[in-house]
Amino acid sequence: MSILKPKGRLSLCADFVREGSRLADIGTDHGYLPIALCQSGKIPSAIACDINPLPLRSAEENIAKFGFSEKIQTRLSDGLKELVSDEVDDVVIAGMGGELIRDILAAAPWVKDEAKHLVLQPMTHHDDLIRWLYENGFDIDRQAAVRDDGKAYTILSTRFTGDKTDCDLYTAIVGKLDPHDENSRGFLTRSLQNLRNKSKGDKSLLPVVQQLEEALYEAE
């Protein structure tokens, strides 16, 4: 049997999952992430969820092909709605917009538990997600960026602490990324360009543009 090795975004998501945790993979698509993590022995079990039947059927076929039908369940679910707290320890939500990830978390109060660990990979609007996390009692303990198929993405490791923190736009954009890191710098440069475009219609964004430009310049 071949060995599945996630690449790009999924590889970093896999790195962020805690050893020995029971995983929920939301928007699992082909089921490759939970298969790879079970195959490597990093996790004992997983629930692979998707809102659409077709990708879930594809995940079921792949799970069976790799021999993990007893360790990985599949579940038709709109976000986290068909899961309950005591089934999982770590939750991965990847490949969705930051606003959708935010809404999925907001609809599942049980994620506000210090024992739970969330791995989040927004495709867009990462700043909206980060701001929501801080303002709703979550802490980002780790964040990194990765290039995948020519584009830069960020992955967040977060858990609930109950400490709500005000979050300005600059903090929401940069998060815990280190501008000295090549991948992070690439991601922040793309974020800066998006912010510049928005500032053409909203001059109040110009101070944040300048702040981010200075941070990137100093990191060169």
Side-chain angles (χ1 to χ4, degrees), residues 73-170:
Q73 301 179 39
T74 57
R75 192 169 300 176
L76 192 66
S77 180
D78 178 1
L80 296 163
K81 291 180 180 178
E82 301 304 321
L83 292 168
V84 294
S85 176
D86 61 4
E87 291 184 292
V88 297
D89 306 304
D90 281 25
V91 176
V92 173
I93 309 178
M96 305 178 197
E99 293 169 313
L100 178 55
I101 295 174
R102 175 199 65 197
D103 292 345
I104 288 172
L105 296 176
W110 60 264
V111 300
K112 291 186 173 183
D113 179 342
E114 292 184 10
K116 304 301 180 188
H117 174 233
L118 310 177
V119 178
L120 311 175
Q121 187 272 299
M123 301 294 281
T124 58
H125 298 287
H126 77 285
D127 51 325
D128 291 322
L129 176 59
I130 287 175
R131 176 172 282 172
W132 183 88
L133 289 168
Y134 278 129
E135 293 179 352
N136 284 272
F138 291 85
D139 178 58
I140 298 169
D141 58 78
R142 186 180 174 195
Q143 183 178 0
V146 63
R147 291 193 66 81
D148 191 336
D149 199 21
K151 295 182 180 180
Y153 301 97
T154 190
I155 291 88
L156 312 169
S157 168
T158 182
R159 66 184 184 88
F160 183 73
T161 64
D163 296 326
K164 298 181 179 181
T165 307
D166 290 336
C167 182
D168 59 28
L169 180 56
Y170 177 79

Side-chain angles (χ1 to χ4, degrees), residues 3 12 19 25 40 50-51 59 67 78 80 97 99 105 108 111 117 149 163 167 173 193 206-207 219:
I3 303 296
L12 196 52
E19 190 92 25
D25 182 30
S40 70
D50 209 287
I51 193 173
D78 178 1
L80 296 163
E99 293 169 313
L105 296 176
V111 300
H117 174 233
D149 199 21
D163 296 326
C167 182
I173 291 172
Q193 187 56 54
L206 288 174

